[in-house]
Amino acid sequence: MAFDIHLEELYEDAELEAAGLNFDLFAKAATGFYNLKEQHKIKSDKNVLSIVNFGLSSNKKRLWVIDLDKKEVLFKTHVAHGRGSGNEKAVNFSNIENSHMSSLGFYVTENTYYGSHGLSLRLEGLDPNFNSKAKQRAIVVHGADYVSEAFIKQHGRLGRSHGCPALPQELSPEIIQTIKDGTCLYIDAPSKEYKSAYLDTNSAVKTFQASLAQSQPTI
């Protein structure tokens, strides 16, 4: 109950409904976030959670970067899916090299580098069979000129990547600097196949309870 209330309060305080983020999706992402913390896969001092909803049209802003400590949305913007995943909407997903599809699941952000798209951010996919080949496939966060309102107006949809979650060029450097080095990224879409050990609610509750106990003042 305390965990459920915590998530509901976070959702309300951060005004995520007004920002267009579905509560059930937020709860899934937050559950994974706490499980990743328990396993020390993300930095303990970086309470930033990024969520992509590929269930939405690419014409919609479907990436949210949330500061869970400050309880606020830092960014809400467009994000591209892979050309193999679909046109206006992403409907197919893959972990296979050269599929040019997006991959669902939980990622941890790593270091930055400068590549053909400028400042880019490496990702480690954590879900076996769903996104675990992200590094082999060079799936990274980067900016692209086809991620813009102007492109949507001209083509009726956002441009598409080779599987990378590509961002608007003008926002990409700031977002990358915010989420780099050990934060959680969760990419979601309606899928009967996707499953993840990080969606174990019982485990997340235990981690949450432990963090509550640590925050209590000693007498």
Side-chain angles (χ1 to χ4, degrees):
M1 283 294 292
F3 183 65
D4 292 340
I5 291 170
H6 171 69
L7 294 185
E8 289 169 4
E9 288 179 345
L10 264 178
Y11 184 78
E12 184 175 334
D13 291 346
E15 299 180 343
L16 297 180
E17 183 176 10
L21 179 59
N22 175 278
F23 174 76
D24 290 339
L25 174 50
F26 169 69
K28 284 171 67 177
T31 297
F33 171 86
Y34 280 105
N35 281 322
L36 291 172
K37 274 213 157 185
E38 190 274 332
Q39 296 183 28
H40 306 290
K41 292 185 182 292
I42 56 176
K43 292 285 183 67
S44 60
D45 61 340
K46 283 198 169 186
N47 290 321
V48 174
L49 173 61
S50 304
I51 303 173
V52 172
N53 183 2
F54 277 152
L56 297 178
S57 160
S58 64
N59 296 339
K60 303 285 187 181
K61 293 182 178 180
R62 52 188 183 168
L63 164 69
W64 297 262
V65 179
I66 306 159
D67 187 319
L68 298 177
D69 283 338
K70 295 180 179 178
K71 300 178 182 180
E72 66 178 358
V73 177
L74 302 178
F75 302 95
K76 178 189 176 184
T77 189
H78 291 290
V79 57
H81 57 257
R83 63 182 58 185
S85 287
N87 293 317
E88 179 190 331
K89 292 190 71 174
V91 293
N92 299 303
F93 303 93
S94 177
N95 194 34
I96 298 173
E97 289 187 71
N98 300 316
S99 67
H100 293 172
M101 293 186 196
S102 297
S103 301
L104 300 179
F106 288 96
Y107 298 79
V108 60
T109 63
E110 296 191 336
N111 61 302
T112 61
Y113 69 98
Y114 283 89
S116 58
H117 294 283
L119 182 67
S120 302
L121 175 63
R122 290 187 174 91
L123 299 172
E124 180 183 358
L126 301 175
D127 284 314
N129 302 320
F130 292 99
N131 66 6
S132 53
K133 293 184 180 177
K135 283 187 177 179
Q136 290 173 239
R137 299 178 60 209
I139 301 300
V140 301
V141 179
H142 64 76
D145 56 7
Y146 53 76
V147 186
S148 67
E149 294 283 358
F151 193 99
I152 292 172
K153 288 178 182 178
Q154 184 176 354
H155 300 276
R157 60 166 172 77
L158 208 64
R160 298 164 299 162
S161 67
H162 283 183
C164 297
L167 305 177
Q169 282 185 318
E170 69 276 11
L171 287 176
S172 181
E174 189 177 359
I175 292 176
I176 285 173
Q177 293 293 355
T178 300
I179 70 173
K180 68 179 182 179
D181 296 335
T183 72
C184 174
L185 166 65
Y186 176 60
I187 297 180
D188 185 80
S191 171
K192 293 180 181 179
E193 289 78 27
Y194 176 70
K195 57 185 178 181
S196 174
Y198 302 108
L199 292 175
D200 183 344
T201 305
N202 292 331
S203 176
V205 168
K206 290 177 183 177
T207 305
F208 170 70
Q209 290 172 336
S211 67
L212 271 185
Q214 290 175 359
S215 65
Q216 296 297 322
T218 55
I219 300 174

